[in-house]
Amino acid sequence: MNDKSSTINTDNHTSFIQKTRNKLAVLQEMDFERNEQRLRNLLEEDKDLIQFPIPVFVPTLFVWLFLIIFPLILILDPSSSSSFSVNIKGMIAFYFPLLSTLFIFFLNQKFLVPSCIFKKRYAVYFIANSVLLFAALFLREVAFFFIERTSNDGLVDFFKDYCFSSLKGHFGVGTVLTFVILVCLVCLLCVFYQLVVRQIVRAFILREQKRMGLQYELDFLKNQLSPHFLFNTLNNISALIQIDSKRAESSMNKLSQLLRMMLYQVKDKYIALQEDVDILQKYADLEKLRLDESFDFVFNVKLENPNVMIEPLLMMPLMENAMKHCVNPNGKSFAHVSITQKDSEVHFHSENSNFPRKSGRKNGGLGLATFEKRLDLIYSGSYEYSVNIVDDIYISDLIIHLKKENS
């Protein structure tokens, strides 16, 4: 009976957490949509304004200036009819903790939290903030000393009778406790701030990846599997029926398999590398139908682990580019493609005769710009891509460093 009650409580707890997550996800998506709409409206309103490049740090600088200047409005009340005098010691007593706190917040948010907390170097984080706290208190002592010192007070008097002394009334246990509480609060806010920012950025990137993936699939099916591609392939197969019926039958099977793979397998987030290679092979075989027998095509594959998982159709634009722009009516046409995989690295290398079509219309397929954008979204910082033209030979290289969970 107790076990059943415990199970019910656990299920209710899990259900509550899931409902909360769903509600927060809806709110987050609404915020993304609302901010996107605001940006679109802003761009629409400001399109006639002169555009100036502004570094990212400028808005942060304005925030800092606001935090520094605004308290002066409260301290130096301009509505007061009586004359006022600025108490330098009071100003330092007010501003020094404020500026120290802002500076420590900046160092934590920019350097200490990412390099210590998220890398589980808690002792280093504690020591670094302790040093910052001591430095802030010491600089405060130096500032007050220079304000209150007499002509006879020197460096020895500072360390002997003034520094961290309660005799002058500017230092005490309350001062230390105030600074410690402020720094602890700032550290907690920094950690929480970084966690929140990372979660928002991660959610935004995942959202963009999902949107980009859907757009990629739509664009691919719209461009690659266009009626033009299908009609040409079917016409080629139709012509083969009279010449070589077995080859025509084989080509029809390859077309059927290619369509099936593209329409169904690419719906998965990851597929086996061997399956992706098979799609490229079938695509190349169908493209060869429009080329004469002198066309030199080589497709070498060497996979250490054929079952390693990869994003579907990632290398298709490179294969498409090599096959479509290699036909040279004045010379020998060729396309040499190799795919190798070892450990967590996949290498696509292609060399083809460089004879791109001269047309005002956009070429079929996704285009290399979309290809690179997809790479940035999926394998940001984990790929190397280069293109070179040497002696009328178009050479493209793509090296992907797969994630650990996929290798």
Side-chain angles (χ1 to χ4, degrees), residues 16-33:
F16 173 77
I17 293 176
Q18 187 60 42
K19 288 180 179 179
T20 305
R21 286 172 60 91
N22 292 338
K23 289 180 180 178
L24 291 176
V26 172
L27 290 175
Q28 186 179 68
E29 183 63 26
M30 289 173 62
D31 282 339
F32 285 150
E33 292 290 342

Side-chain angles (χ1 to χ4, degrees), residues 143-375:
F144 278 127
F145 176 73
F146 275 102
I147 292 172
E148 298 179 347
R149 68 183 291 270
T150 63
S151 58
N152 297 325
D153 292 334
L155 187 63
V156 176
D157 297 302
F158 169 73
F159 285 103
K160 182 180 179 181
D161 300 324
Y162 195 90
C163 186
F164 298 131
S165 173
S166 59
L167 296 177
K168 299 288 185 176
H170 66 274
F171 186 82
V173 177
T175 305
V176 177
L177 289 176
T178 301
F179 266 78
V180 169
I181 292 171
L182 279 174
V183 172
C184 290
L185 180 61
V186 167
C187 291
L188 288 174
L189 288 174
C190 284
V191 174
F192 184 72
Y193 175 81
Q194 279 285 340
L195 287 171
V196 170
V197 168
R198 288 188 175 213
Q199 285 296 106
I200 293 174
V201 171
R202 183 182 291 110
F204 181 77
I205 291 176
L206 291 174
R207 180 175 181 263
E208 289 302 305
Q209 285 179 339
K210 183 178 179 181
R211 177 185 294 180
M212 188 64 188
L214 293 174
Q215 188 62 44
Y216 179 88
E217 291 180 14
L218 289 173
D219 288 344
F220 190 91
L221 294 173
K222 183 173 62 178
N223 294 295
Q224 183 60 46
L225 298 180
S226 63
H228 184 267
F229 170 78
L230 292 175
F231 289 157
N232 280 348
T233 304
L234 290 172
N235 287 335
N236 291 329
I237 294 174
S238 178
L240 278 176
I241 293 176
Q242 304 297 328
I243 304 171
D244 189 343
S245 59
K246 289 186 178 180
R247 188 181 172 195
E249 182 181 356
S250 174
S251 299
M252 183 61 74
N253 288 333
K254 289 178 181 178
L255 177 61
S256 175
Q257 292 172 9
L258 179 64
L259 293 175
R260 186 180 298 109
M261 287 180 174
M262 287 182 172
L263 290 172
Y264 295 105
Q265 289 180 284
V266 298
K267 291 181 179 179
D268 298 328
K269 186 175 182 181
Y270 297 104
I271 64 172
L273 179 58
Q274 184 62 61
E275 295 177 3
D276 202 57
V277 169
D278 290 341
I279 293 176
L280 298 180
Q281 177 70 70
K282 289 178 173 60
Y283 170 80
D285 290 342
L286 291 172
E287 280 290 324
K288 283 163 58 179
L289 292 176
R290 65 184 177 86
L291 304 171
D292 56 36
E293 294 180 356
S294 65
F295 176 69
D296 179 18
F297 177 72
V298 178
F299 188 66
N300 291 322
V301 179
K302 187 176 180 181
L303 307 181
E304 185 182 73
N305 179 13
N307 295 319
V308 67
M309 305 304 285
I310 192 172
E311 290 277 339
L313 303 178
L314 194 65
M315 297 174 284
M316 177 62 85
L318 298 181
M319 174 65 82
E320 178 187 17
N321 194 64
M323 296 296 294
K324 287 193 173 183
H325 303 310
C326 67
V327 180
N328 185 357
N330 301 319
K332 187 175 181 180
S333 303
F334 70 94
H336 298 168
V337 178
S338 67
I339 299 176
T340 58
Q341 177 269 323
K342 185 177 182 181
D343 296 329
S344 61
E345 186 175 287
V346 176
H347 183 194
F348 178 99
H349 177 82
S350 67
E351 297 182 8
N352 59 272
S353 46
N354 185 39
F355 195 79
R357 302 173 185 174
K358 295 181 180 180
S359 174
R361 294 176 299 174
K362 293 183 178 179
N363 293 326
L366 294 170
L368 296 181
T370 305
F371 163 70
E372 291 186 59
K373 186 174 182 180
R374 190 178 184 224
L375 276 176

Side-chain angles (χ1 to χ4, degrees), residues 345-348 382-386 397-401:
E345 186 175 287
V346 176
H347 183 194
F348 178 99
S382 301
Y383 76 92
E384 302 163 36
Y385 174 60
S386 63
D397 278 289
L398 172 64
I399 300 176
I400 303 173
H401 305 283

Side-chain angles (χ1 to χ4, degrees), residues 93-110:
F94 176 82
Y95 267 104
F96 200 88
L98 175 64
L99 295 177
S100 300
T101 304
L102 289 175
F103 184 69
I104 292 173
F105 178 87
F106 172 78
L107 290 179
N108 271 268
Q109 188 266 330
K110 203 74 175 178

Side-chain angles (χ1 to χ4, degrees), residues 78-97:
S79 63
S80 176
S81 58
S82 60
S83 60
F84 57 85
S85 59
V86 178
N87 186 331
I88 300 298
K89 184 178 179 181
M91 294 282 286
I92 291 177
F94 176 82
Y95 267 104
F96 200 88

